[in-house]
Amino acid sequence: MTAWAIAETGAFVAAPTAALTLTVAGARACLVAVNRARARQRRNPVAPPRQRAGEPVLLLAAPVAVSAAELVPATAAFVPQPRPGRLRAWRMRTWGGLPSVFWRLVITLIPGRGLACLYLALAYFAARARGLNASQVAVVLAAFGVGWAAGPPVAGWAADRIGPRKVIVAGNIAAWAAYTAAGMARSADALAAGAAAVGLVFEMWRPAAQSMLATAAVDELQRKRCMTLLTWIINVLLTLATLAGGALAAYAGWGWLFVASATGAAAFAALAWLLLPRDRPRRRMRAPRRGGVATDPLLWAFTVLTLLILTAGQQSVYALPVRFAGTGIGPLSYGLIAAMNPLTVAVLQPFAQGWLVRLPAVPLCAAGMALIGTGIAVTGAGTGLAWYAGTSVIWTLGEIAAAGLAPAIVASIAPPGRAGAYLGTWGSALGLSTLTAAVAGDAVISAGGLPLLWACCATAGVAAGLGCACLARPVAARRNGQILGLGRLAGDRR
């Protein structure tokens, strides 16, 4: 036991340190190669092609001092350009024209989220690897949810004050330490404290990254593209992390999930420090004040609606497994059903990207909220593997619409320089929903069983969708007012 503890401690130190060293060395080598290639291109510019016999000559117009009578009119022939193929047109429409900070952020997310395989396996680790009972596991998960609810507001506030790049780097360094402390915990109290620390810091990067993208976007259309594609990439990386975590736990042990997560956090911090643009000094802007975050009714109304629909959507983690167990669904079948959600998101969202960007954000987000609640209810009301797998597509489509567009809506109603605080406050609903879903689901099942829970999920979806649709005009008025206010501010400075 002592030898295993020493080996585990060494892994927590050696693996993240090696990842940090390799990431820094590799990123620096790539940056040096890129700078050398740019310098070589500036020293040796590309020579123009030589003119061959029989080829048309391209003449460049230059101003000359001649009389009007000597000017001879010339006509230029129109050269038809080949139309791009459907695949290329879709690729340019979906991925083209994005700011460079988006691609830098995607590179940093690959190790950071691709190795974060602890989120969905924390309960299994507490029960199997540490031998905790059901009540102790519930305490660990509650501590994780409390930390998750508190982390995003702190990160958003800090991103507005000191800059998003510093928050992303500091948050991932703290996540490295939190994963190490939680992985080495043995008792229930120590594991609960470690889970609270992990929940506090493991999502600190999200409001800072969303604030960075909201600032880099040139218009509302580009902001929606960045937010929806970022959500899609996170879902794809979550799928890979889940598969990697299952294989790692099966062949190496549950403790290595913490080692992998700590390694990903260290690589995330190193890449963010090297690749993300430096934080600009904050300028004091005399923009029209509408009060702080705590007094903005539009932000809190949208946050409450998000918490309502997330409470219903989280029943796919709490209540649906109970339903599956009661109908004889085995572990393999449950794994196939659980894989339908991220697989559907990964396959369908790139093709639905055009609809997500062109259609109005608030009505589409309202329809997505309604689909989530009613889809969960429809899935729970039926029986059979085919029914569960087929109807899970309904609430997955709702998740594609709501989860991708909601950050863009929040960023659009945030005053200038306050996007981080607004996104962090709204992001706390996701962590808080892990608590409300468990408490509300248990209370409703105790009162009327699973049929009453499915009815409540459908009602919550319809109520959240209608409430979000009612916010369409206030959101548009807020956005237009901010555009006018910034225009007046620019005119006053001139």
Side-chain angles (χ1 to χ4, degrees):
M1 186 64 183
T2 305
W4 174 250
I6 294 175
E8 191 177 24
T9 305
F12 274 115
V13 176
T17 304
L20 187 63
T21 305
L22 292 176
T23 302
V24 172
R28 284 186 175 180
C30 292
L31 291 176
V32 169
V34 170
N35 292 333
R36 287 181 178 177
R38 289 178 177 176
R40 193 181 304 112
Q41 186 177 9
R42 285 193 298 266
R43 289 194 303 266
N44 303 319
V46 179
R50 295 182 178 180
Q51 186 69 32
R52 297 180 180 179
E55 292 185 352
V57 180
L58 178 63
L59 299 179
L60 300 179
V64 292
V66 295
S67 61
E70 298 179 5
L71 296 179
V72 180
T75 58
F78 174 74
V79 179
Q81 298 292 333
R83 295 184 60 183
R86 292 184 178 182
L87 181 60
R88 183 181 179 185
W90 169 81
R91 187 174 67 248
M92 294 301 297
R93 186 171 59 251
T94 304
W95 302 100
L98 295 173
S100 61
V101 66
F102 175 83
W103 299 110
R104 292 170 178 260
L105 185 61
V106 169
I107 294 174
T108 62
L109 282 174
I110 292 174
R113 293 292 92 186
L115 293 176
C117 50
L118 181 65
Y119 164 56
L120 296 178
L122 182 59
Y124 293 96
F125 171 81
R128 293 189 178 184
R130 294 296 181 257
L132 304 184
N133 55 36
S135 60
Q136 291 173 332
V137 172
V139 171
V140 171
L141 294 180
F144 178 79
V146 170
W148 192 356
V154 176
W157 178 85
D160 291 337
R161 297 306 189 276
I162 65 175
R165 176 172 174 260
K166 295 184 181 70
V167 172
I168 294 175
V169 173
N172 281 283
I173 293 176
W176 177 7
Y179 284 128
T180 303
M184 298 176 64
R186 293 295 184 269
S187 64
D189 296 337
L191 186 57
V198 171
L200 180 67
V201 296
F202 96 110
E203 279 284 290
M204 273 191 169
W205 67 271
R206 191 189 292 261
Q210 291 172 341
S211 173
M212 185 181 292
L213 291 179
T215 305
V218 297
D219 54 9
E220 184 67 20
L221 186 66
Q222 194 177 71
R223 183 186 295 117
K224 289 198 296 184
R225 292 179 63 201
C226 289
M227 296 298 182
T228 52
L229 288 175
L230 180 65
T231 304
W232 177 76
I233 291 172
I234 293 172
N235 276 282
V236 172
L237 293 176
L238 178 62
T239 305
L240 298 178
T242 303
L243 297 175
L248 196 62
Y251 294 102
W254 291 95
W256 289 93
L257 298 180
F258 288 89
V259 177
S261 300
T263 305
F268 196 171
L271 287 175
W273 181 259
L274 292 172
L275 298 181
L276 295 183
R278 294 183 178 181
D279 298 320
R280 297 179 180 178
R282 299 292 172 177
R283 297 179 179 179
R284 296 183 179 272
M285 300 180 62
R286 295 181 179 179
R289 294 184 178 180
R290 295 186 177 86
V293 174
T295 58
D296 192 335
L298 188 57
L299 170 65
W300 286 106
F302 191 72
T303 303
V304 170
L305 292 174
T306 304
L307 178 60
L308 177 62
I309 194 57
L310 286 176
T311 302
Q314 288 282 0
Q315 301 306 321
S316 62
V317 180
Y318 292 97
L320 282 181
V322 178
R323 175 63 173 169
F324 297 157
T327 56
I329 298 294
L332 180 59
S333 300
Y334 174 70
L336 293 175
I337 297 171
M340 288 297 298
N341 175 259
L343 183 62
T344 306
V345 173
V347 172
L348 294 184
Q349 181 164 338
F351 298 98
Q353 184 68 19
W355 296 93
L356 294 176
V357 173
R358 287 194 298 268
L359 295 178
V362 179
L364 195 59
C365 183
M369 289 182 176
L371 281 177
I372 291 175
T374 54
I376 292 289
V378 170
T379 302
T383 57
L385 178 61
W387 175 269
Y388 295 145
T391 56
S392 65
V393 179
I394 300 175
W395 45 276
T396 302
L397 291 175
E399 180 183 344
I400 291 175
L405 293 174
I409 295 173
V410 176
S412 67
I413 66 175
R418 302 298 301 277
Y422 271 61
L423 288 165
T425 302
W426 169 80
S428 64
L430 183 57
L432 193 59
S433 67
T434 60
L435 300 177
T436 57
V439 174
D442 182 67
V444 173
I445 291 175
S446 301
L450 288 175
L452 179 60
L453 180 63
W454 308 138
C456 290
C457 289
T459 304
V462 173
L466 291 177
C468 184
C470 294
L471 298 179
R473 296 184 66 181
V475 168
R478 172 73 63 85
R479 187 189 306 118
N480 295 335
Q482 288 178 1
I483 294 174
L484 293 176
L486 290 177
R488 296 192 190 99
L489 181 62
D492 294 342
R493 289 192 173 184
R494 290 178 182 176

